[in-house]
Amino acid sequence: MSARAIALVDGNNFYVSCERAFNPNLEGCPVVVLSSNDGCVVARSAEARALGIGMGEPFFKVRPLIKSHGLRWLSSNFSLYHDMSARMMALLGEFSPSQEIYSVDECFLDFTALPVDVLAHAQKLRARVQCYLGLPTCVGLAPSKTLAKLANHMAKRDSQWSGVCDWNELPSTAQQRVMASLPVKEIWGVGGRISESLQALGIKTVWQLRNADPALIRARFSVVLARTVAELNGVSCLDLGSVPNQREQIICSRSFGQPVVALNDLKDTIINHINHAAERMRSEGLHCQSVGVFLHTYRFNLHKLQYAPSIQATLPQPTDDSRLLIAAALRALEAIYKTGYEYQKSGIQLSGLQPQHVIQVDLFSNGDRLRSERLMSAVDGINQRYGQPMVALGAAGMAHRKHFWQVRNDNRSPRYTTHWDDLAEAY
DNA sequence: TCTGGGGTCCTAGGACCC
DNA sequence: TCTGGGGTCCTAGGACCC
Protein backbone atom coordinates (compact mmCIF):
# COMPACT_ATOMS: atom_id res chain seq x y z
CA MET A 1 0.00 0.00 0.00
CA SER A 2 1.41 3.37 -0.95
CA ALA A 3 1.75 6.13 1.61
CA ARG A 4 -1.13 8.49 2.03
CA ALA A 5 -1.04 12.04 0.77
CA ILE A 6 -2.87 14.26 3.20
CA ALA A 7 -3.16 18.00 2.71
CA LEU A 8 -3.87 20.48 5.46
CA VAL A 9 -5.17 23.75 4.08
CA ASP A 10 -5.21 26.68 6.47
CA GLY A 11 -6.27 30.30 5.96
CA ASN A 12 -3.52 32.76 6.85
CA ASN A 13 -4.56 35.02 9.75
CA PHE A 14 -8.06 34.04 8.76
CA TYR A 15 -10.13 36.71 10.53
CA VAL A 16 -7.78 39.48 9.47
CA SER A 17 -7.83 38.20 5.89
CA CYS A 18 -11.65 38.20 5.88
CA GLU A 19 -11.59 41.84 6.97
CA ARG A 20 -9.01 42.73 4.35
CA ALA A 21 -11.01 41.07 1.60
CA PHE A 22 -13.63 43.77 2.09
CA ASN A 23 -11.44 46.62 3.27
CA PRO A 24 -8.23 46.89 1.25
CA ASN A 25 -7.12 49.81 3.41
CA LEU A 26 -6.11 47.20 5.96
CA GLU A 27 -3.49 45.73 3.62
CA GLY A 28 0.12 46.22 4.57
CA CYS A 29 -0.48 47.52 8.08
CA PRO A 30 -0.58 45.80 11.46
CA VAL A 31 -4.14 44.59 12.16
CA VAL A 32 -5.64 42.64 15.04
CA VAL A 33 -9.10 41.17 15.52
CA LEU A 34 -10.39 40.95 19.08
CA SER A 35 -12.52 38.46 20.98
CA SER A 36 -15.97 39.40 22.19
CA ASN A 37 -16.05 42.29 24.61
CA ASP A 38 -12.90 43.41 22.78
CA GLY A 39 -11.09 41.42 25.44
CA CYS A 40 -8.08 39.89 23.80
CA VAL A 41 -6.37 39.38 20.48
CA VAL A 42 -7.64 36.37 18.51
CA ALA A 43 -6.09 37.10 15.11
CA ARG A 44 -3.06 39.10 14.00
CA SER A 45 -1.72 40.11 10.64
CA ALA A 46 1.92 39.29 9.90
CA GLU A 47 2.77 42.94 10.57
CA ALA A 48 1.07 42.79 13.97
CA ARG A 49 2.94 39.60 14.82
CA ALA A 50 6.18 41.33 13.87
CA LEU A 51 5.37 43.96 16.51
CA GLY A 52 5.52 41.18 19.08
CA ILE A 53 1.79 40.94 19.67
CA GLY A 54 1.01 37.47 21.01
CA MET A 55 -2.01 35.30 20.36
CA GLY A 56 -4.56 35.73 23.14
CA GLU A 57 -2.86 38.79 24.51
CA PRO A 58 -5.21 41.15 26.37
CA PHE A 59 -6.08 44.14 24.24
CA PHE A 60 -5.23 46.73 26.90
CA LYS A 61 -1.62 45.65 26.76
CA VAL A 62 -1.25 46.32 23.04
CA ARG A 63 -3.41 49.43 22.89
CA PRO A 64 -0.41 51.80 23.01
CA LEU A 65 0.70 50.38 19.65
CA ILE A 66 -2.26 52.08 18.01
CA LYS A 67 -0.59 55.44 18.39
CA SER A 68 3.04 54.38 18.25
CA HIS A 69 2.85 51.95 15.31
CA GLY A 70 -0.45 52.58 13.57
CA LEU A 71 -1.98 49.33 14.83
CA ARG A 72 -5.51 48.87 13.47
CA TRP A 73 -8.03 46.89 15.51
CA LEU A 74 -11.46 45.40 14.93
CA SER A 75 -14.10 43.78 17.10
CA SER A 76 -14.85 40.27 15.88
CA ASN A 77 -17.44 39.86 13.16
CA PHE A 78 -18.39 36.23 13.38
CA SER A 79 -21.22 36.37 10.84
CA LEU A 80 -18.66 37.46 8.27
CA TYR A 81 -16.00 34.89 9.22
CA HIS A 82 -18.40 31.98 9.29
CA ASP A 83 -19.90 32.89 5.98
CA MET A 84 -16.47 33.29 4.37
CA SER A 85 -15.45 29.99 5.95
CA ALA A 86 -18.43 28.18 4.42
CA ARG A 87 -17.57 29.56 0.99
CA MET A 88 -13.92 28.59 1.33
CA MET A 89 -14.75 25.05 2.50
CA ALA A 90 -17.14 24.57 -0.41
CA LEU A 91 -14.41 25.60 -2.85
CA LEU A 92 -11.81 23.35 -1.21
CA GLY A 93 -14.22 20.42 -1.20
CA GLU A 94 -13.98 20.38 -4.99
CA PHE A 95 -10.32 19.40 -4.80
CA SER A 96 -10.76 16.02 -3.12
CA PRO A 97 -13.48 13.43 -2.63
CA SER A 98 -12.54 13.36 1.05
CA GLN A 99 -12.57 16.52 3.15
CA GLU A 100 -12.55 16.97 6.91
CA ILE A 101 -13.46 20.46 8.04
CA TYR A 102 -11.39 20.80 11.15
CA SER A 103 -12.02 24.38 12.20
CA VAL A 104 -13.31 27.64 10.82
CA ASP A 105 -10.15 28.19 8.80
CA GLU A 106 -8.67 24.70 8.31
CA CYS A 107 -9.49 21.50 6.54
CA PHE A 108 -7.80 18.24 5.69
CA LEU A 109 -8.08 16.92 2.14
CA ASP A 110 -7.07 13.42 1.07
CA PHE A 111 -5.09 13.46 -2.18
CA THR A 112 -4.00 9.82 -1.91
CA ALA A 113 -5.92 8.30 -4.78
CA LEU A 114 -5.95 11.35 -7.03
CA PRO A 115 -4.16 11.08 -10.40
CA VAL A 116 -2.52 14.47 -9.92
CA ASP A 117 0.79 16.04 -9.04
CA VAL A 118 -0.01 16.90 -5.44
CA LEU A 119 2.15 20.02 -5.33
CA ALA A 120 0.54 21.44 -8.44
CA HIS A 121 -2.90 20.48 -7.14
CA ALA A 122 -2.22 22.34 -3.89
CA GLN A 123 -1.05 25.44 -5.73
CA LYS A 124 -4.16 25.31 -7.87
CA LEU A 125 -6.48 25.33 -4.87
CA ARG A 126 -4.59 28.18 -3.27
CA ALA A 127 -4.97 30.21 -6.45
CA ARG A 128 -8.67 29.39 -6.63
CA VAL A 129 -9.38 30.52 -3.07
CA GLN A 130 -7.33 33.67 -3.54
CA CYS A 131 -9.08 34.50 -6.80
CA TYR A 132 -12.68 33.73 -5.75
CA LEU A 133 -12.58 34.95 -2.17
CA GLY A 134 -9.48 37.08 -1.78
CA LEU A 135 -8.20 34.82 0.99
CA PRO A 136 -4.56 33.71 1.24
CA THR A 137 -3.91 30.12 2.37
CA CYS A 138 -1.02 27.75 2.98
CA VAL A 139 -0.92 23.99 2.42
CA GLY A 140 1.05 21.26 4.18
CA LEU A 141 1.36 17.86 2.48
CA ALA A 142 2.43 14.69 4.30
CA PRO A 143 1.64 11.02 4.89
CA SER A 144 -0.11 11.71 8.21
CA LYS A 145 -2.31 14.45 9.63
CA THR A 146 0.19 15.38 12.33
CA LEU A 147 2.99 15.76 9.77
CA ALA A 148 0.65 17.69 7.46
CA LYS A 149 0.10 20.15 10.32
CA LEU A 150 3.85 20.40 10.75
CA ALA A 151 4.41 20.94 7.00
CA ASN A 152 1.71 23.60 7.00
CA HIS A 153 3.48 25.33 9.87
CA MET A 154 6.64 25.40 7.77
CA ALA A 155 4.84 26.70 4.69
CA LYS A 156 3.47 29.57 6.77
CA ARG A 157 6.71 30.45 8.47
CA ASP A 158 9.04 30.44 5.50
CA SER A 159 8.23 32.05 2.17
CA GLN A 160 10.71 29.79 0.34
CA TRP A 161 7.88 27.26 0.10
CA SER A 162 5.59 29.60 -1.83
CA GLY A 163 2.71 28.52 0.35
CA VAL A 164 2.97 24.75 -0.12
CA CYS A 165 5.32 22.48 1.79
CA ASP A 166 5.48 18.80 0.92
CA TRP A 167 7.09 16.84 3.74
CA ASN A 168 7.94 13.95 1.42
CA GLU A 169 10.03 16.22 -0.76
CA LEU A 170 12.38 17.01 2.11
CA PRO A 171 15.56 14.92 2.34
CA SER A 172 15.64 13.00 5.61
CA THR A 173 18.51 15.13 6.90
CA ALA A 174 16.35 18.21 6.44
CA GLN A 175 13.40 16.52 8.14
CA GLN A 176 15.63 15.73 11.09
CA ARG A 177 16.98 19.28 11.22
CA VAL A 178 13.48 20.74 11.24
CA MET A 179 12.26 18.41 13.97
CA ALA A 180 15.35 18.90 16.09
CA SER A 181 14.88 22.68 15.99
CA LEU A 182 11.23 22.62 17.07
CA PRO A 183 10.18 22.46 20.73
CA VAL A 184 7.80 19.62 21.39
CA LYS A 185 4.99 22.02 22.23
CA GLU A 186 4.74 23.03 18.57
CA ILE A 187 3.27 19.68 17.69
CA TRP A 188 -0.46 19.19 17.22
CA GLY A 189 -1.77 17.39 20.31
CA VAL A 190 0.98 18.50 22.69
CA GLY A 191 -0.11 21.34 24.93
CA GLY A 192 1.42 23.06 27.93
CA ARG A 193 0.88 20.29 30.47
CA ILE A 194 2.10 17.38 28.39
CA SER A 195 5.04 19.39 27.12
CA GLU A 196 6.11 20.03 30.73
CA SER A 197 5.90 16.36 31.61
CA LEU A 198 7.83 15.45 28.47
CA GLN A 199 10.57 17.93 29.33
CA ALA A 200 10.91 16.29 32.71
CA LEU A 201 11.66 13.05 30.87
CA GLY A 202 14.27 14.82 28.79
CA ILE A 203 12.10 14.96 25.67
CA LYS A 204 12.38 18.53 24.52
CA THR A 205 12.33 18.56 20.75
CA VAL A 206 9.98 17.09 18.19
CA TRP A 207 12.84 14.90 17.00
CA GLN A 208 13.22 13.42 20.47
CA LEU A 209 9.49 12.79 20.71
CA ARG A 210 9.50 11.13 17.29
CA ASN A 211 12.17 8.72 18.53
CA ALA A 212 10.69 8.11 21.97
CA ASP A 213 9.76 4.60 23.06
CA PRO A 214 6.09 4.09 22.12
CA ALA A 215 5.46 1.76 25.07
CA LEU A 216 6.82 4.33 27.50
CA ILE A 217 4.68 7.07 25.98
CA ARG A 218 1.59 4.86 26.10
CA ALA A 219 2.21 3.98 29.73
CA ARG A 220 3.19 7.42 31.02
CA PHE A 221 0.73 9.43 28.97
CA SER A 222 -2.10 8.08 26.83
CA VAL A 223 -3.06 6.45 23.58
CA VAL A 224 -3.48 9.93 22.18
CA LEU A 225 0.17 10.84 22.55
CA ALA A 226 1.26 7.37 21.43
CA ARG A 227 -0.64 7.99 18.20
CA THR A 228 1.07 11.34 17.82
CA VAL A 229 4.46 9.62 18.02
CA ALA A 230 3.43 7.11 15.34
CA GLU A 231 2.14 9.92 13.15
CA LEU A 232 5.44 11.76 13.49
CA ASN A 233 7.05 8.63 12.08
CA GLY A 234 4.83 8.84 9.03
CA VAL A 235 2.42 6.13 10.18
CA SER A 236 -1.07 7.45 9.66
CA CYS A 237 -3.25 6.71 12.70
CA LEU A 238 -5.85 9.42 12.42
CA ASP A 239 -8.47 9.03 9.73
CA LEU A 240 -10.10 11.88 7.98
CA GLY A 241 -13.51 12.42 9.53
CA SER A 242 -15.01 13.26 6.18
CA VAL A 243 -18.49 12.47 7.42
CA PRO A 244 -19.02 14.99 10.20
CA ASN A 245 -19.77 13.24 13.44
CA GLN A 246 -23.07 13.87 15.07
CA ARG A 247 -22.51 16.82 17.32
CA GLU A 248 -22.38 15.96 21.03
CA GLN A 249 -23.16 19.23 22.72
CA ILE A 250 -24.05 22.85 22.16
CA ILE A 251 -22.51 25.44 24.44
CA CYS A 252 -23.48 29.06 24.68
CA SER A 253 -21.69 31.40 27.08
CA ARG A 254 -20.69 35.04 27.31
CA SER A 255 -18.61 37.27 29.47
CA PHE A 256 -20.56 40.29 30.60
CA GLY A 257 -19.83 43.88 29.66
CA GLN A 258 -20.04 44.64 33.40
CA PRO A 259 -20.15 42.42 36.49
CA VAL A 260 -23.54 40.97 37.34
CA VAL A 261 -24.68 40.47 40.92
CA ALA A 262 -28.44 39.98 40.93
CA LEU A 263 -30.13 36.65 40.33
CA ASN A 264 -32.70 38.25 38.05
CA ASP A 265 -30.04 39.60 35.72
CA LEU A 266 -28.35 36.22 35.63
CA LYS A 267 -31.70 34.68 34.75
CA ASP A 268 -31.98 37.02 31.78
CA THR A 269 -28.55 35.96 30.53
CA ILE A 270 -29.38 32.27 30.92
CA ILE A 271 -32.67 32.67 29.07
CA ASN A 272 -30.76 34.40 26.29
CA HIS A 273 -28.25 31.57 26.04
CA ILE A 274 -30.97 28.92 25.98
CA ASN A 275 -32.91 30.75 23.26
CA HIS A 276 -29.78 30.89 21.11
CA ALA A 277 -28.63 27.35 21.73
CA ALA A 278 -32.09 25.83 21.34
CA GLU A 279 -32.60 27.56 18.02
CA ARG A 280 -29.30 26.17 16.78
CA MET A 281 -30.26 22.73 18.08
CA ARG A 282 -33.62 22.80 16.27
CA SER A 283 -32.00 24.00 13.07
CA GLU A 284 -29.95 20.81 13.15
CA GLY A 285 -32.94 18.62 13.90
CA LEU A 286 -31.72 17.59 17.35
CA HIS A 287 -33.13 17.14 20.84
CA CYS A 288 -31.17 17.17 24.07
CA GLN A 289 -31.33 14.98 27.13
CA SER A 290 -29.77 17.35 29.64
CA VAL A 291 -29.07 21.00 30.34
CA GLY A 292 -26.06 22.37 32.16
CA VAL A 293 -25.61 25.81 33.68
CA PHE A 294 -22.35 27.40 34.79
CA LEU A 295 -21.21 30.69 36.27
CA HIS A 296 -17.87 32.35 36.73
CA THR A 297 -16.69 35.21 38.86
CA TYR A 298 -13.98 37.49 37.52
CA ARG A 299 -11.00 35.14 37.66
CA PHE A 300 -8.30 37.77 37.25
CA ASN A 301 -9.44 39.75 40.23
CA LEU A 302 -7.45 38.11 43.01
CA HIS A 303 -8.84 40.41 45.67
CA LYS A 304 -12.38 39.17 45.32
CA LEU A 305 -13.83 35.82 46.29
CA GLN A 306 -13.95 33.37 43.43
CA TYR A 307 -16.88 31.11 42.68
CA ALA A 308 -17.31 28.99 39.58
CA PRO A 309 -20.14 26.50 40.06
CA SER A 310 -21.66 24.27 37.45
CA ILE A 311 -24.57 21.89 37.46
CA GLN A 312 -26.12 19.40 35.10
CA ALA A 313 -29.84 18.67 35.01
CA THR A 314 -31.28 15.63 33.26
CA LEU A 315 -34.63 16.16 31.58
CA PRO A 316 -37.50 13.70 31.99
CA GLN A 317 -37.31 13.13 28.23
CA PRO A 318 -35.34 14.59 25.33
CA THR A 319 -36.75 17.85 24.07
CA ASP A 320 -36.10 20.83 21.82
CA ASP A 321 -38.76 23.00 23.45
CA SER A 322 -37.22 26.24 24.65
CA ARG A 323 -39.84 26.63 27.35
CA LEU A 324 -38.92 23.32 28.99
CA LEU A 325 -35.23 24.04 28.61
CA ILE A 326 -35.56 27.49 30.13
CA ALA A 327 -37.54 26.14 33.08
CA ALA A 328 -34.90 23.48 33.74
CA ALA A 329 -32.02 25.90 33.34
CA LEU A 330 -33.55 28.45 35.72
CA ARG A 331 -34.09 25.78 38.37
CA ALA A 332 -30.47 24.76 37.93
CA LEU A 333 -29.32 28.37 38.16
CA GLU A 334 -31.21 28.88 41.41
CA ALA A 335 -29.55 25.79 42.81
CA ILE A 336 -26.04 27.13 42.29
CA TYR A 337 -26.54 30.87 42.66
CA LYS A 338 -25.09 32.50 45.74
CA THR A 339 -25.33 36.12 46.71
CA GLY A 340 -22.27 38.19 47.47
CA TYR A 341 -20.33 37.45 44.29
CA GLU A 342 -19.65 39.54 41.23
CA TYR A 343 -20.27 37.28 38.27
CA GLN A 344 -18.39 37.83 35.07
CA LYS A 345 -19.69 35.07 32.87
CA SER A 346 -22.60 32.70 32.52
CA GLY A 347 -23.17 29.82 30.19
CA ILE A 348 -25.34 26.86 29.35
CA GLN A 349 -24.67 23.51 27.77
CA LEU A 350 -27.13 21.27 25.95
CA SER A 351 -25.91 17.68 25.92
CA GLY A 352 -27.05 14.18 25.18
CA LEU A 353 -27.94 15.40 21.70
CA GLN A 354 -29.80 13.02 19.44
CA PRO A 355 -31.65 13.28 16.16
CA GLN A 356 -35.39 13.73 16.40
CA HIS A 357 -36.18 10.45 14.67
CA VAL A 358 -34.45 8.18 17.19
CA ILE A 359 -36.37 9.54 20.13
CA GLN A 360 -38.78 7.14 21.72
CA VAL A 361 -42.22 8.56 21.46
CA ASP A 362 -44.05 8.77 24.73
CA LEU A 363 -47.66 8.01 23.85
CA PHE A 364 -49.09 10.19 26.52
CA SER A 365 -47.36 13.37 25.55
CA ASN A 366 -47.74 13.16 21.79
CA GLY A 367 -50.26 15.98 21.64
CA ASP A 368 -47.99 18.26 23.66
CA ARG A 369 -45.11 17.38 21.41
CA LEU A 370 -46.98 18.42 18.27
CA ARG A 371 -48.10 21.70 19.79
CA SER A 372 -44.56 22.38 20.97
CA GLU A 373 -43.09 21.67 17.54
CA ARG A 374 -45.51 24.06 15.89
CA LEU A 375 -44.75 26.83 18.36
CA MET A 376 -40.98 26.42 18.11
CA SER A 377 -40.97 26.38 14.33
CA ALA A 378 -43.12 29.52 14.31
CA VAL A 379 -40.64 31.28 16.62
CA ASP A 380 -37.66 30.19 14.52
CA GLY A 381 -39.41 31.12 11.29
CA ILE A 382 -40.09 34.67 12.42
CA ASN A 383 -36.57 35.17 13.72
CA GLN A 384 -34.98 33.79 10.57
CA ARG A 385 -37.17 35.97 8.40
CA TYR A 386 -36.12 39.15 10.15
CA GLY A 387 -32.54 38.15 10.73
CA GLN A 388 -32.58 39.05 14.40
CA PRO A 389 -34.50 37.91 17.44
CA MET A 390 -37.95 39.48 17.10
CA VAL A 391 -39.58 36.81 19.23
CA ALA A 392 -37.90 35.38 22.28
CA LEU A 393 -39.24 33.21 25.04
CA GLY A 394 -39.07 34.28 28.62
CA ALA A 395 -39.28 38.00 27.81
CA ALA A 396 -35.54 38.43 27.87
CA GLY A 397 -32.84 39.12 25.36
CA MET A 398 -34.92 41.16 22.96
CA ALA A 399 -32.85 43.00 20.41
CA HIS A 400 -34.40 46.34 21.23
CA ARG A 401 -33.80 45.98 24.94
CA LYS A 402 -30.30 46.99 25.81
CA HIS A 403 -28.94 45.28 28.90
CA PHE A 404 -26.04 46.66 30.88
CA TRP A 405 -24.34 43.25 30.82
CA GLN A 406 -24.37 42.89 27.07
CA VAL A 407 -21.12 42.46 25.21
CA ARG A 408 -19.24 45.39 23.85
CA ASN A 409 -18.06 45.18 20.27
CA ASP A 410 -17.85 48.79 19.26
CA ASN A 411 -15.53 48.41 16.32
CA ARG A 412 -17.15 45.65 14.31
CA SER A 413 -17.00 45.88 10.52
CA PRO A 414 -20.23 45.54 8.51
CA ARG A 415 -21.62 42.02 8.06
CA TYR A 416 -21.02 42.36 4.33
CA THR A 417 -22.16 38.95 3.21
CA THR A 418 -25.02 38.07 5.54
CA HIS A 419 -27.07 41.20 6.27
CA TRP A 420 -28.79 43.27 3.58
CA ASP A 421 -28.54 46.49 5.57
CA ASP A 422 -24.82 46.03 6.00
CA LEU A 423 -24.40 45.41 2.29
CA ALA A 424 -25.75 48.91 1.67
CA GLU A 425 -23.41 50.25 4.30
CA ALA A 426 -20.47 48.72 2.49
CA TYR A 427 -20.98 50.42 -0.86
C1' DT B 1 -10.38 50.51 33.82
C1' DC B 2 -9.45 46.41 30.30
C1' DT B 3 -7.88 38.93 29.94
C1' DG B 4 -12.98 34.82 24.42
C1' DG B 5 -16.02 31.19 23.01
C1' DG B 6 -17.00 26.65 21.35
C1' DG B 7 -15.73 22.25 20.70
C1' DT B 8 -13.59 16.92 21.07
C1' DC B 9 -11.53 12.96 23.16
C1' DC B 10 -9.83 10.14 26.95
C1' DT B 11 -9.68 8.45 31.65
C1' DA B 12 -10.68 7.60 36.40
C1' DG B 13 -13.95 6.51 39.52
C1' DG B 14 -18.62 5.62 41.22
C1' DA B 15 -23.03 3.15 40.75
C1' DC B 16 -25.05 -0.85 39.69
C1' DC B 17 -25.53 -5.62 38.43
C1' DC B 18 -24.69 -10.57 38.60
C1' DT C 1 -15.79 -12.21 63.78
C1' DC C 2 -15.95 -13.06 58.78
C1' DT C 3 -18.02 -9.32 53.71
C1' DG C 4 -15.59 -11.10 45.97
C1' DG C 5 -14.61 -9.94 41.56
C1' DG C 6 -15.53 -8.42 37.26
C1' DG C 7 -18.19 -6.16 33.70
C1' DT C 8 -20.76 -2.12 31.99
C1' DC C 9 -22.53 2.30 31.96
C1' DC C 10 -22.39 7.03 33.16
C1' DT C 11 -20.34 11.36 34.55
C1' DA C 12 -16.99 14.77 35.87
C1' DG C 13 -12.83 16.56 34.97
C1' DG C 14 -8.57 17.16 32.50
C1' DA C 15 -6.10 17.78 28.39
C1' DC C 16 -6.11 19.31 23.94
C1' DC C 17 -7.63 22.11 19.67
C1' DC C 18 -8.69 26.65 16.96
Side-chain angles (χ1 to χ4, degrees), chain A residues 157-399:
Chain A
R157 273 210 329 193
D158 195 336
S159 59
Q160 67 157 305
W161 300 107
S162 309
V164 182
C165 172
D166 185 350
W167 184 253
N168 286 328
E169 293 291 302
L170 285 176
S172 57
T173 49
Q175 293 182 351
Q176 174 171 351
R177 202 168 50 243
V178 168
M179 286 185 163
S181 71
L182 279 179
V184 81
K185 172 136 184 358
E186 296 297 315
I187 283 301
W188 187 44
V190 179
R193 295 297 176 89
I194 289 178
S195 127
E196 263 177 42
S197 310
L198 284 170
Q199 305 246 2
L201 293 174
I203 299 171
K204 297 183 175 136
T205 67
V206 177
W207 181 248
Q208 288 172 319
L209 180 61
R210 189 201 105 122
N211 295 310
D213 174 13
L216 172 91
I217 296 295
R218 173 68 189 87
R220 296 288 273 269
F221 298 88
S222 65
V223 286
V224 184
L225 194 62
R227 282 201 283 255
T228 300
V229 172
E231 287 241 325
L232 285 175
N233 282 283
V235 179
S236 175
C237 304
L238 305 170
D239 279 332
L240 257 67
S242 37
V243 186
N245 286 337
Q246 141 99 57
R247 180 209 275 283
E248 291 179 10
Q249 54 180 15
I250 295 174
I251 296 175
C252 188
S253 69
R254 273 314 157 260
S255 293
F256 308 135
Q258 290 175 47
V260 171
V261 171
L263 178 60
N264 274 339
D265 289 325
L266 286 176
K267 283 185 177 174
D268 282 349
T269 72
I270 293 295
I271 292 168
N272 247 339
H273 296 329
I274 294 279
N275 278 328
H276 269 124
E279 186 181 343
R280 206 183 326 153
M281 180 168 73
R282 289 191 293 268
S283 77
E284 296 179 22
L286 300 170
H287 285 57
C288 68
Q289 179 68 71
S290 72
V291 193
V293 172
F294 56 91
L295 301 170
H296 245 289
T297 48
Y298 188 68
R299 68 198 158 107
F300 292 99
N301 194 338
L302 304 175
H303 306 297
K304 295 242 164 88
L305 281 180
Q306 302 286 311
Y307 182 47
S310 68
I311 189 172
Q312 202 68 26
T314 302
L315 300 158
Q317 49 183 308
T319 185
D320 68 350
D321 187 323
S322 296
R323 296 166 301 174
L324 299 177
L325 296 171
I326 286 173
L330 292 182
R331 275 196 304 275
L333 171 65
E334 285 175 11
I336 56 173
Y337 172 80
K338 284 191 199 164
T339 51
Y341 292 97
E342 290 188 352
Y343 295 96
Q344 186 237 349
K345 178 178 188 170
S346 72
I348 65 95
Q349 173 192 7
L350 305 181
S351 50
L353 297 183
Q354 47 194 294
Q356 221 158 344
H357 59 82
V358 306
I359 289 167
Q360 307 249 335
V361 176
D362 173 351
L363 290 175
F364 298 100
S365 62
N366 221 5
D368 289 345
R369 188 187 301 281
L370 287 176
R371 273 197 299 279
S372 154
E373 275 170 20
R374 280 201 294 268
L375 172 61
M376 291 303 123
S377 75
V379 168
D380 294 344
I382 292 168
N383 289 339
Q384 270 154 29
R385 181 165 167 196
Y386 293 97
Q388 54 182 321
M390 304 296 287
V391 180
L393 296 155
M398 306 299 289

